[in-house]
Amino acid sequence: MFIIVLKMLLCSSVCIAVYYLFLEKEKMYRFNRFYLLVSLIFSLVIPFISITVQPPKTVNKSEIIFEDAAQQIIQTQPAQEIFDWINLVWFIYGAVALFLLIKSILSIIAIRNVQGEKMIYQNYTVKVAHENLPPFSFWNTIYLGRSYIKNNIIDPRIFLHEKNHIDQKHSIDLIFIDILKIFTWFNPILHIYKKAIITNHEFLADEAVLNRKYDIKEYQNLILDEIINIQNPPLTHSFNFNNTKKRFIMMTKKKSRFTVLKKMAGITTLIAATALFAERTYAVNPIAPYNPQKVGAGTVENVESPQVTSTNSGYFEKIKEKPSKAVEFKKESTKAAADTISPKKTAQANSNEGNNTNVNQQQDRDFVQAEFPEGAKLLRSKIGSMLDTSIFDGKEKLVKSTAHIHVDETGKISQITASGDNEAFNKEIVKTVTAVNNGMVWKPATRNGKATASIFTLPMSMSFQ
């Protein structure tokens, strides 16, 4: 969740910065409106966009050996925490969102409850308020005080300004960003976006008035006369919008010769943000039916190892503290398989573990391992085909690592780690196993028929010829 929020903040920051640097001061108001809305939506969905790329091709001729997976159980009785911070965060989020939702609803109700008389003026709905309201528009209605109507005529400049807000449906933009603020109030960039969108709306409305050849100076004086009036309700377009300086500058500004280039800068920003902030997944080439003799660039052997079940909830923590233990376990499992220990000898060896082994064996009978949705064989096949052996120079001769795939009660992957004596191999294992499991939902492990969290371990070795 933190990564998603961070990507939203960064992407929206980059997009609005490009707007203020290259686009705001250009007389291309319709493109700017499009850019602001699209970039805002884009910054919200970008964390969920996934780009599929081809995995790097391997160049080293290598031989990878998988061992049979061993399953360690995570106790379903986690240590009780004194305070659940996650619930507190969600409570605060919900409380703020509810407050903003109520505030927005009340704002709309306040606008609808303006007391006055409705009239149709040049095919537009105008509400003449009893109090002396300055002109503003919301949705499909123009609101103004009675003093703005003289001889049943509204100043044509005021009417044109508010009429264009309605014609261009600017209220939809404001309602949209208000909804976003309710659900993503933690993003301060939204306030900057809202200010930029409202300013752009005013540029568009001013342009429509001046296109009718009204005198610029007289129009500016009309706006200045309205500045002293009270502020209108939120979610509305006010004729006396207080960002007067920018509006006056844009009224006399000429079109730039670099308009097309600056438009390209905006579009390029969206493309670059996609490449920068989108999630990357590795494409898996179609894999032939699993052949235990051929996987990837080398040969895969299935080396049998005894299944290990741990009833100690701290078992895996010990592995993380002392990676050598995980390696030793893998080595012993490999050695036992290589020596082809008979089931009778294995049972005899296990009998030395005492009563604790008997308990584990009883639990083993009640426990069913987690399963990769496409089967363990295809899991190994995909890992073998996607593993990048170009990170090695071939002098390593033999490297070993164990992947630890944490599968929760719902079958989702909560964490993927690796332990072994070669850090580069560990990182490559984590990257490859993560890519293989992207979007996958496992069949969770069960104990006594009830789903339980577990760690699926996959030991492997790689030798170079």
Side-chain angles (χ1 to χ4, degrees):
M1 181 62 69
F2 173 77
I3 297 299
I4 291 176
V5 172
L6 181 61
K7 286 184 177 182
M8 286 182 182
L9 293 174
L10 291 175
C11 187
S12 58
S13 299
V14 170
C15 290
I16 198 65
V18 169
Y19 173 78
Y20 278 112
L21 286 172
F22 299 105
L23 305 178
E24 184 197 29
K25 297 180 181 179
E26 296 298 326
K27 298 192 75 170
M28 45 185 187
Y29 308 133
R30 287 167 181 78
F31 176 83
N32 286 355
R33 182 188 182 189
F34 166 81
Y35 175 85
L36 286 169
L37 293 175
V38 170
S39 65
L40 180 57
I41 297 172
F42 179 76
S43 66
L44 297 178
V45 302
I46 188 64
F48 306 100
I49 295 177
S50 179
I51 299 177
T52 302
V53 296
Q54 290 294 332
K57 296 181 179 180
T58 59
V59 294
N60 292 335
K61 187 176 180 181
S62 59
E63 180 179 344
I64 181 171
I65 301 174
F66 288 93
E67 301 176 17
D68 276 355
Q71 192 88 6
Q72 288 103 35
I73 308 306
I74 300 177
Q75 285 284 49
T76 56
Q77 295 140 357
Q80 293 184 349
E81 295 182 1
I82 298 176
F83 193 80
D84 193 338
W85 290 100
I86 298 298
N87 287 342
L88 176 62
V89 170
W90 280 111
F91 175 78
I92 294 174
Y93 169 82
V96 175
L98 180 61
F99 170 77
L100 294 176
L101 175 62
I102 294 174
K103 183 180 177 181
S104 295
I105 294 174
L106 292 177
S107 297
I108 295 175
I109 292 175
I111 296 170
R112 293 297 187 184
N113 288 341
V114 170
Q115 299 297 314
E117 300 174 358
K118 283 189 176 182
M119 60 180 289
I120 302 299
Y121 186 87
Q122 297 184 20
N123 296 323
Y124 286 84
T125 302
V126 177
K127 193 166 190 178
V128 182
H130 294 159
E131 56 182 309
N132 190 28
L133 283 180
F136 69 89
S137 59
F138 176 72
W139 204 249
N140 60 353
T141 302
I142 298 173
Y143 298 80
L144 45 73
R146 190 172 297 277
S147 61
Y148 289 90
I149 301 180
K150 296 178 181 180
N151 299 323
N152 292 325
I153 296 176
I154 302 173
D155 189 307
R157 295 165 296 181
I158 294 177
F159 178 74
L160 272 175
H161 184 98
E162 301 304 333
K163 168 182 172 296
N164 277 278
H165 280 311
I166 294 174
D167 290 345
Q168 297 175 22
K169 304 187 185 305
H170 292 165
S171 292
I172 294 178
D173 297 359
L174 296 186
I175 292 173
F176 170 68
I177 196 169
D178 206 60
I179 292 173
L180 293 183
K181 285 173 63 178
I182 292 172
F183 294 101
T184 58
W185 53 263
F186 49 81
N187 186 358
I189 307 301
L190 285 179
H191 298 279
I192 304 176
Y193 259 101
K194 183 175 182 179
K195 182 179 177 181
I197 288 173
I198 291 177
T199 302
N200 178 256
H201 289 171
E202 296 303 321
F203 291 162
L204 284 164
D206 289 338
E207 182 184 52
V209 174
L210 296 177
N211 283 343
R212 294 292 186 92
K213 306 303 180 182
Y214 286 104
D215 184 77
I216 294 179
K217 291 296 182 182
E218 291 183 3
Y219 182 60
Q220 290 176 342
N221 289 333
L222 178 65
I223 294 174
L224 289 173
D225 290 340
E226 294 299 320
I227 291 178
I228 60 174
N229 291 325
I230 61 174
Q231 181 64 40
N232 288 306
L235 297 177
T236 65
H237 287 94
S238 170
F239 181 76
N240 60 325
F241 180 67
N242 57 12
N243 202 349
T244 310
K245 183 178 179 180
K246 286 184 178 180
R247 291 174 64 187
F248 284 7
I249 291 173
M250 296 307 294
M251 287 178 192
T252 57
K253 190 177 180 65
K254 302 296 182 182
K255 284 190 176 182
S256 170
R257 294 177 298 173
F258 305 103
T259 298
V260 175
L261 291 177
K262 293 188 175 183
K263 286 182 179 180
M264 292 302 299
I267 295 173
T268 302
T269 299
L270 299 181
I271 297 173
T274 303
L276 184 61
F277 297 110
E279 187 71 21
R280 292 176 179 80
T281 58
Y282 289 95
V284 179
N285 295 326
I287 299 174
Y290 182 74
N291 183 343
Q293 298 303 320
K294 292 183 179 179
V295 174
T299 302
V300 175
E301 298 179 14
N302 290 324
V303 184
E304 297 182 356
S305 64
Q307 177 176 301
V308 176
T309 304
S310 172
T311 57
N312 184 354
S313 60
Y315 175 79
F316 189 67
E317 295 300 324
K318 294 178 181 178
I319 290 180
K320 287 201 279 190
E321 292 172 7
K322 299 179 180 180
S324 59
K325 287 192 176 181
V327 177
E328 289 170 5
F329 163 72
K330 181 171 70 69
K331 288 180 179 179
E332 291 173 3
S333 300
T334 306
K335 182 178 180 181
D339 292 342
T340 321
I341 298 177
S342 64
K344 185 180 295 184
K345 289 183 180 181
T346 303
Q348 183 177 358
N350 289 340
S351 66
N352 295 329
E353 298 297 327
N355 293 332
N356 186 54
T357 303
N358 295 332
V359 174
N360 288 344
Q361 289 175 347
Q362 176 60 39
Q363 291 173 343
D364 287 347
R365 286 193 290 270
D366 300 329
F367 173 74
V368 179
Q369 293 185 14
E371 295 181 11
F372 184 69
E374 298 175 353
K377 290 183 178 180
L378 193 56
L379 170 64
R380 297 172 186 171
S381 181
K382 286 185 174 182
I383 293 173
S385 64
M386 293 177 62
L387 202 64
D388 180 14
T389 59
S390 64
I391 61 173
F392 303 108
D393 56 16
K395 297 178 181 179
E396 293 84 357
K397 300 300 181 184
L398 179 66
V399 290
K400 299 182 180 183
S401 182
T402 299
H404 306 275
I405 306 173
H406 297 235
V407 185
D408 65 17
E409 297 89 344
T410 64
K412 294 182 179 179
I413 305 299
S414 59
Q415 187 182 12
I416 295 175
T417 59
S419 58
D421 52 6
N422 186 294
E423 189 61 28
F425 191 36
N426 291 341
K427 290 181 179 179
E428 180 61 26
I429 291 295
V430 171
K431 185 185 78 172
T432 303
V433 175
T434 300
V436 170
N437 282 280
N438 184 56
M440 292 291 185
V441 177
W442 286 48
K443 181 179 179 181
T446 59
R447 171 178 285 170
N448 296 324
K450 183 178 180 181
T452 181
S454 63
I455 304 173
F456 188 93
T457 65
L458 187 61
M460 59 190 80
S461 304
M462 178 170 287
S463 62
F464 299 88
Q465 299 177 359

